[in-house]
mmCIF file of all heavy atoms in Angstrom:
data_model
loop_
_atom_site.group_PDB
_atom_site.id
_atom_site.type_symbol
_atom_site.label_atom_id
_atom_site.label_comp_id
_atom_site.label_asym_id
_atom_site.label_seq_id
_atom_site.Cartn_x
_atom_site.Cartn_y
_atom_site.Cartn_z
ATOM 1 N N ILE A 442 20.139 7.514 -10.051
ATOM 2 C CA ILE A 442 19.273 8.578 -9.530
ATOM 3 C C ILE A 442 18.597 8.133 -8.228
ATOM 4 O O ILE A 442 18.616 8.850 -7.227
ATOM 5 C CB ILE A 442 18.217 8.989 -10.575
ATOM 6 C CG1 ILE A 442 18.892 9.690 -11.758
ATOM 7 C CG2 ILE A 442 17.159 9.905 -9.945
ATOM 8 C CD1 ILE A 442 17.952 9.969 -12.934
ATOM 9 N N MET A 443 18.019 6.944 -8.247
ATOM 10 C CA MET A 443 17.268 6.483 -7.071
ATOM 11 C C MET A 443 18.169 6.328 -5.846
ATOM 12 O O MET A 443 17.810 6.697 -4.725
ATOM 13 C CB MET A 443 16.548 5.161 -7.370
ATOM 14 C CG MET A 443 15.346 5.316 -8.308
ATOM 15 S SD MET A 443 14.559 3.748 -8.759
ATOM 16 C CE MET A 443 13.668 3.347 -7.245
ATOM 17 N N GLU A 444 19.367 5.775 -6.068
ATOM 18 C CA GLU A 444 20.265 5.565 -4.928
ATOM 19 C C GLU A 444 20.866 6.875 -4.440
ATOM 20 O O GLU A 444 21.295 6.980 -3.297
ATOM 21 C CB GLU A 444 21.379 4.569 -5.317
ATOM 22 C CG GLU A 444 20.855 3.153 -5.499
ATOM 23 C CD GLU A 444 21.966 2.125 -5.751
ATOM 24 O OE1 GLU A 444 23.114 2.530 -6.029
ATOM 25 O OE2 GLU A 444 21.654 0.911 -5.665
ATOM 26 N N GLY A 445 20.874 7.875 -5.319
ATOM 27 C CA GLY A 445 21.538 9.128 -4.980
ATOM 28 C C GLY A 445 20.672 10.126 -4.232
ATOM 29 O O GLY A 445 21.155 11.176 -3.798
ATOM 30 N N VAL A 446 19.404 9.826 -4.079
ATOM 31 C CA VAL A 446 18.489 10.800 -3.481
ATOM 32 C C VAL A 446 18.775 11.042 -2.003
ATOM 33 O O VAL A 446 18.793 12.185 -1.541
ATOM 34 C CB VAL A 446 17.021 10.330 -3.642
ATOM 35 C CG1 VAL A 446 16.101 11.104 -2.730
ATOM 36 C CG2 VAL A 446 16.584 10.482 -5.089
ATOM 37 N N PHE A 447 19.011 9.967 -1.279
ATOM 38 C CA PHE A 447 19.121 10.086 0.184
ATOM 39 C C PHE A 447 20.582 10.122 0.609
ATOM 40 O O PHE A 447 21.341 9.207 0.300
ATOM 41 C CB PHE A 447 18.408 8.903 0.843
ATOM 42 C CG PHE A 447 18.248 9.026 2.333
ATOM 43 C CD1 PHE A 447 17.511 10.058 2.889
ATOM 44 C CD2 PHE A 447 18.838 8.097 3.187
ATOM 45 C CE1 PHE A 447 17.352 10.163 4.262
ATOM 46 C CE2 PHE A 447 18.686 8.197 4.566
ATOM 47 C CZ PHE A 447 17.934 9.240 5.104
ATOM 48 N N PRO A 448 20.979 11.178 1.317
ATOM 49 C CA PRO A 448 22.385 11.331 1.686
ATOM 50 C C PRO A 448 22.739 10.503 2.927
ATOM 51 O O PRO A 448 21.874 9.877 3.526
ATOM 52 C CB PRO A 448 22.479 12.817 2.009
ATOM 53 C CG PRO A 448 21.133 13.151 2.566
ATOM 54 C CD PRO A 448 20.161 12.284 1.810
ATOM 55 N N GLY A 449 23.978 10.531 3.281
ATOM 56 C CA GLY A 449 24.397 9.882 4.519
ATOM 57 C C GLY A 449 25.292 8.696 4.276
ATOM 58 O O GLY A 449 25.438 8.243 3.136
ATOM 59 N N PRO A 450 25.884 8.210 5.331
ATOM 60 C CA PRO A 450 26.862 7.132 5.230
ATOM 61 C C PRO A 450 26.243 5.802 4.822
ATOM 62 O O PRO A 450 26.914 4.967 4.210
ATOM 63 C CB PRO A 450 27.446 7.033 6.642
ATOM 64 C CG PRO A 450 26.414 7.632 7.535
ATOM 65 C CD PRO A 450 25.699 8.665 6.722
ATOM 66 N N LEU A 451 24.972 5.608 5.170
ATOM 67 C CA LEU A 451 24.320 4.348 4.811
ATOM 68 C C LEU A 451 23.620 4.490 3.476
ATOM 69 O O LEU A 451 22.622 5.198 3.342
ATOM 70 C CB LEU A 451 23.322 3.923 5.885
ATOM 71 C CG LEU A 451 22.612 2.593 5.600
ATOM 72 C CD1 LEU A 451 23.614 1.460 5.419
ATOM 73 C CD2 LEU A 451 21.639 2.259 6.711
ATOM 74 N N LYS A 452 24.143 3.815 2.473
ATOM 75 C CA LYS A 452 23.622 3.928 1.122
ATOM 76 C C LYS A 452 22.287 3.184 0.977
ATOM 77 O O LYS A 452 22.110 2.121 1.563
ATOM 78 C CB LYS A 452 24.634 3.294 0.158
ATOM 79 C CG LYS A 452 24.919 4.112 -1.078
ATOM 80 C CD LYS A 452 25.802 3.343 -2.062
ATOM 81 C CE LYS A 452 25.244 3.524 -3.460
ATOM 82 N NZ LYS A 452 25.682 2.513 -4.408
ATOM 83 N N LEU A 453 21.387 3.762 0.182
ATOM 84 C CA LEU A 453 20.190 3.022 -0.201
ATOM 85 C C LEU A 453 20.542 2.145 -1.390
ATOM 86 O O LEU A 453 21.317 2.548 -2.253
ATOM 87 C CB LEU A 453 19.061 3.978 -0.586
ATOM 88 C CG LEU A 453 18.405 4.766 0.535
ATOM 89 C CD1 LEU A 453 17.258 5.595 -0.012
ATOM 90 C CD2 LEU A 453 17.914 3.840 1.633
ATOM 91 N N LEU A 454 20.005 0.949 -1.426
ATOM 92 C CA LEU A 454 20.253 0.044 -2.546
ATOM 93 C C LEU A 454 18.987 -0.143 -3.360
ATOM 94 O O LEU A 454 17.884 -0.201 -2.815
ATOM 95 C CB LEU A 454 20.743 -1.314 -2.047
ATOM 96 C CG LEU A 454 22.146 -1.353 -1.433
ATOM 97 C CD1 LEU A 454 22.551 -2.795 -1.149
ATOM 98 C CD2 LEU A 454 23.164 -0.683 -2.347
ATOM 99 N N VAL A 455 19.159 -0.222 -4.669
ATOM 100 C CA VAL A 455 18.028 -0.400 -5.573
ATOM 101 C C VAL A 455 18.219 -1.678 -6.379
ATOM 102 O O VAL A 455 19.272 -1.894 -6.969
ATOM 103 C CB VAL A 455 17.903 0.809 -6.529
ATOM 104 C CG1 VAL A 455 16.874 0.533 -7.622
ATOM 105 C CG2 VAL A 455 17.511 2.056 -5.743
ATOM 106 N N ASP A 456 17.223 -2.541 -6.358
ATOM 107 C CA ASP A 456 17.235 -3.753 -7.186
ATOM 108 C C ASP A 456 16.514 -3.450 -8.486
ATOM 109 O O ASP A 456 15.420 -2.878 -8.471
ATOM 110 C CB ASP A 456 16.510 -4.907 -6.475
ATOM 111 C CG ASP A 456 17.263 -5.392 -5.246
ATOM 112 O OD1 ASP A 456 18.500 -5.380 -5.289
ATOM 113 O OD2 ASP A 456 16.603 -5.757 -4.257
ATOM 114 N N ILE A 457 17.104 -3.836 -9.590
ATOM 115 C CA ILE A 457 16.463 -3.626 -10.892
ATOM 116 C C ILE A 457 16.390 -4.930 -11.659
ATOM 117 O O ILE A 457 17.371 -5.660 -11.733
ATOM 118 C CB ILE A 457 17.212 -2.558 -11.722
ATOM 119 C CG1 ILE A 457 17.146 -1.211 -10.994
ATOM 120 C CG2 ILE A 457 16.620 -2.451 -13.126
ATOM 121 C CD1 ILE A 457 17.677 -0.036 -11.791
ATOM 122 N N HIS A 458 15.226 -5.213 -12.178
ATOM 123 C CA HIS A 458 15.050 -6.389 -13.028
ATOM 124 C C HIS A 458 14.266 -5.989 -14.268
ATOM 125 O O HIS A 458 13.394 -5.124 -14.194
ATOM 126 C CB HIS A 458 14.317 -7.503 -12.282
ATOM 127 C CG HIS A 458 15.068 -8.037 -11.115
ATOM 128 N ND1 HIS A 458 14.854 -7.598 -9.831
ATOM 129 C CD2 HIS A 458 16.067 -8.953 -11.028
ATOM 130 C CE1 HIS A 458 15.676 -8.233 -9.006
ATOM 131 N NE2 HIS A 458 16.426 -9.061 -9.706
#
Side-chain angles (χ1 to χ4, degrees):
Chain A
I442 292 172
M443 288 176 75
E444 290 186 347
V446 165
F447 190 62
L451 181 57
K452 226 187 136 200
L453 289 183
L454 291 187
V455 171
D456 292 325
I457 297 188
H458 296 96

